[in-house]
Amino acid sequence: MIEERAVILSLAPTQSSDTSTIATLEIERKTACGLCGQTRGCGNSIWGKLFAHRSAAFKAKNTIDATVGQSVVVSISEQALLWSALLLYVLPLVTMLTASILMMQWHDSDGMTMLAALAGLALGLLWVKGFTASNQYFLMQQPVILRLADDDRPITFANQIS
């Protein structure tokens, strides 16, 4: 499990019969030097402002009854992260290469091969979008609130070597 600290932004009741709530969370961003957002420093804050680096809010089931504003430890499985990387990067590239190789077999035109590669890439991305819209995929990807975050206790990985 990969763990990270997050802050609870809001709570909403679940639609099921259990007493838990759905928490809207945001990851606590950390920087190496603490100067991001200030006028002096290395300049990474300029890139952040230019490209509008914002934290995205996400939802998780609040089984520990944490309240708004509390800092919690959230985790996601390594397999879910690897599966997402495979879907988002490898599958569109495979469809792009397959479409371009098939077009090279039928036509000798470089332009047609490039168009087939773009069509294969688009097809792969559309397939990923359709697959991730299914409930099965999101059940595997659900983050889990493990516990309240203690400031003095470091976050550890499940398979970390001491």
Side-chain angles (χ1 to χ4, degrees), residues 43-136:
N44 277 336
S45 64
I46 296 170
W47 291 110
K49 290 175 189 172
L50 181 64
F51 292 112
H53 291 168
R54 293 182 292 263
S55 296
F58 61 97
K59 296 182 187 294
K61 196 175 214 180
N62 183 12
T63 57
I64 63 168
D65 294 328
T67 59
V68 174
Q70 282 188 314
S71 184
V72 294
V73 176
V74 180
S75 73
I76 189 169
S77 72
E78 292 96 352
Q79 290 177 340
L81 185 66
L82 290 174
W83 184 245
S84 295
L86 179 75
L87 273 176
L88 294 174
Y89 294 111
V90 176
L91 184 74
L93 287 175
V94 167
T95 57
M96 180 182 76
L97 289 173
T98 303
S100 63
I101 289 170
L102 288 174
M103 186 56 74
M104 285 174 56
Q105 297 297 320
W106 288 332
H107 292 287
D108 199 20
S109 170
D110 289 341
M112 292 297 288
T113 303
M114 288 175 52
L115 287 175
L118 286 174
L121 181 65
L123 181 69
L125 290 172
L126 286 173
W127 188 84
V128 168
K129 184 177 180 180
F131 181 75
T132 57
S134 71
N135 288 336
Q136 171 194 11

